[in-house]
Amino acid sequence: MLNIVLFGPPGAGKGTQAARLIEKYGFHHISTGEVIREEIRQGSPLGLSVKGFIDKGQLAPDALVIDLIADYVSKHKESKGNIFDGFPRTTPQAEAFDKIMEQHGTPVNLMLALEVSDDELIDRLLKRGKESGRADDSCESVIRNRIDVYKAQTAVVADHYRRQGKFRAIRGIGSIEEIFRSICCQIDPLLEKPDAASVRVG
């Protein structure tokens, strides 16, 4: 099993690229943001508890997100591979994630980080907000706060995987196909290994 963390600030294109990876490789995909938004739409206790954080552009509490991921991993033990989109977002999440994956004998193999300038991110998110109606994509001040939170709390997660030799930066500007090819160039060599789950990248 190959486990990939698809990383980058809001608006970097993680969801778009994840969809293409699912189509090409048959991986499973979990987006913590989508899971949480679905809980909010359903008006569940979980959704109501995190709605205030999301509306302000803040991160959901670590304990909540870690529980979601642990549940997902336990239900997808036989998958060819997993794409984790939007997780982990903090160093404590990354550390807890390592323990979860070790318990299941399927460590993270690779972090692919999409790198995009702030101005481009803001333009993309405002456009997405007009198309989707998402409140957190419709206000520039909320978007800027999300980017600031990412830089302060989430960007440091890259160092966690860099120390493990699993971090790879991907230029997130260009055509969708160009970015996808860059991602595939990092994944394909791992799939050629006889046991991708045991591969240490770097």
Side-chain angles (χ1 to χ4, degrees), residues 41-61:
R41 283 192 290 268
Q42 294 177 2
S44 70
L46 171 61
L48 294 175
S49 68
V50 300
K51 187 175 185 300
F53 292 95
I54 302 302
D55 286 347
K56 295 176 183 176
Q58 298 174 352
L59 300 181

Side-chain angles (χ1 to χ4, degrees), residues 3-177:
N3 293 300
I4 298 169
V5 174
L6 194 55
F7 195 67
K14 297 185 296 296
T16 298
Q17 295 300 332
R20 295 175 71 89
L21 292 170
I22 293 164
E23 181 179 358
K24 177 173 181 176
Y25 297 109
F27 294 158
H28 283 106
H29 171 238
I30 180 169
S31 166
T32 52
E34 283 301 318
V35 171
I36 291 171
R37 281 190 287 275
E38 180 60 27
E39 295 289 341
I40 292 173
R41 283 192 290 268
Q42 294 177 2
S44 70
L46 171 61
L48 294 175
S49 68
V50 300
K51 187 175 185 300
F53 292 95
I54 302 302
D55 286 347
K56 295 176 183 176
Q58 298 174 352
L59 300 181
D62 283 345
L64 168 65
V65 181
I66 290 165
D67 286 346
L68 286 171
I69 295 298
D71 181 66
Y72 172 84
V73 171
S74 69
K75 293 177 180 177
H76 295 81
K77 294 180 180 178
E78 306 304 321
S79 66
K80 179 180 179 181
N82 296 303
I83 301 167
F84 295 91
D85 170 5
F87 179 88
R89 291 190 176 189
T90 67
T91 300
Q93 284 183 9
E95 294 170 346
F97 188 37
D98 281 350
K99 292 179 182 178
I100 291 169
M101 301 307 279
E102 287 169 5
Q103 289 170 1
H104 291 282
T106 58
V108 171
N109 299 96
L110 193 63
M111 169 185 270
L112 298 174
L114 297 173
E115 298 188 338
V116 183
S117 68
D118 288 1
D119 288 343
E120 176 68 16
L121 293 172
I122 292 167
D123 287 344
R124 289 183 186 182
L125 290 170
L126 287 172
K127 181 178 180 181
R128 188 172 77 180
K130 290 178 181 178
E131 296 171 350
S132 69
R134 278 178 51 178
D136 57 339
D137 285 343
S138 301
C139 176
E140 183 170 340
S141 63
V142 171
I143 290 171
R144 289 188 179 278
N145 186 60
R146 289 167 64 194
I147 293 172
D148 288 343
V149 169
Y150 170 82
K151 290 178 178 178
Q153 299 182 32
T154 304
V156 295
V157 176
D159 292 334
H160 178 82
Y161 290 102
R162 190 177 283 109
R163 287 192 295 271
Q164 297 178 16
K166 299 176 179 180
F167 174 87
R168 295 291 182 274
I170 302 292
R171 187 172 185 270
I173 295 179
S175 71
I176 292 173
E177 185 58 37

